Amino acid sequence: MMQRSVVLIKPDGVERNLIGNIISCYEDNGLKVIHLKLMQATREIAEKHYSQHKGKDFYEELITFITRSPLCAIILQGEDVIARVRKINGATSPTDAEEGTIRHRYARSKTENCVHASDTLESANDEIKLWFSELKNIDELLNK
Ligand code: CMP
């Protein structure tokens, strides 16, 4: 199924000049970048993005981290892109991530783990609306 997923190259990835290497991992797997921008997340957008983690012990650290400097927000498109991107990213923690994955290569901790990707079709739609609200053709980008 042709899908779209939101990927965030988090502040640690941008600070460490990893944007090109990370995007290559997706493009080399046949996934297409259809939108891309550099932006600094406000606390408001970060809180919406991570609302399901509110109250957890790592929540404040996560919000502080994701808002500390610019991130790169991307919409990727491809067949089964949601599952494929999660496989390319690897497990949340670098110690659990399989060899060859982005997080195995580049992540330094569970918080500073370089990338975020949508985990379901529903979260992809929510994240497209949250991170790319300015797009005029947003309805065409949502997963049906
Ligand atoms: P992400 O895919 O952006 O979605 C939720 C984030 O919470 C996750 O990546 C991690 O960066 C972070 N996270 C999840 N579990 C923990 C944890 N136990 N400690 C710190 N950060 C965590």
Side-chain angles (χ1 to χ4, degrees):
M1 183 165 74
M2 187 59 80
Q3 300 171 340
R4 282 157 292 276
S5 179
V6 171
V7 165
L8 304 176
I9 302 177
K10 298 182 183 183
D12 58 331
V14 176
E15 288 163 7
R16 291 161 61 207
N17 299 342
L18 294 171
I19 293 174
N21 286 357
I22 289 173
I23 290 176
S24 290
C25 296
Y26 304 127
E27 290 186 332
D28 290 348
N29 274 276
L31 301 176
K32 186 136 203 90
V33 173
I34 60 165
H35 286 285
L36 177 151
K37 64 181 174 182
L38 214 54
M39 62 180 281
Q40 188 148 357
T42 59
R43 182 158 180 118
E44 189 188 0
I45 197 169
E47 285 187 349
K48 283 184 185 156
H49 180 75
Y50 283 131
S51 59
Q52 78 274 29
H53 297 297
K54 198 171 168 84
K56 294 186 185 164
D57 56 354
F58 58 85
Y59 178 74
E60 276 307 321
E61 186 188 352
L62 194 55
I63 298 293
T64 301
F65 162 61
I66 205 76
T67 57
R68 81 175 176 205
S69 64
L71 55 76
C72 182
I74 300 167
I75 302 179
L76 285 178
Q77 180 170 282
E79 289 288 327
D80 294 319
V81 64
I82 291 174
R84 284 165 69 192
V85 167
R86 292 180 69 75
K87 192 147 193 236
I88 294 165
N89 285 354
T92 305
S93 168
T95 53
D96 300 332
E98 271 181 55
E99 215 167 307
T101 62
I102 290 171
R103 285 167 171 164
H104 181 268
R105 266 187 241 174
Y106 301 124
R108 291 195 286 210
S109 70
K110 265 191 196 170
T111 302
E112 302 214 6
N113 65 355
C114 288
V115 280
H116 163 85
S118 311
D119 60 358
T120 61
L121 284 176
E122 194 184 21
S123 72
N125 286 351
D126 289 344
E127 290 172 8
I128 289 168
K129 287 187 250 177
L130 181 64
W131 291 96
F132 291 90
S133 58
E134 74 281 7
L135 293 180
K136 304 252 182 289
N137 63 336
I138 202 152
D139 281 345
E140 293 162 29
L141 298 174
L142 299 180
N143 297 291
K144 303 286 190 279

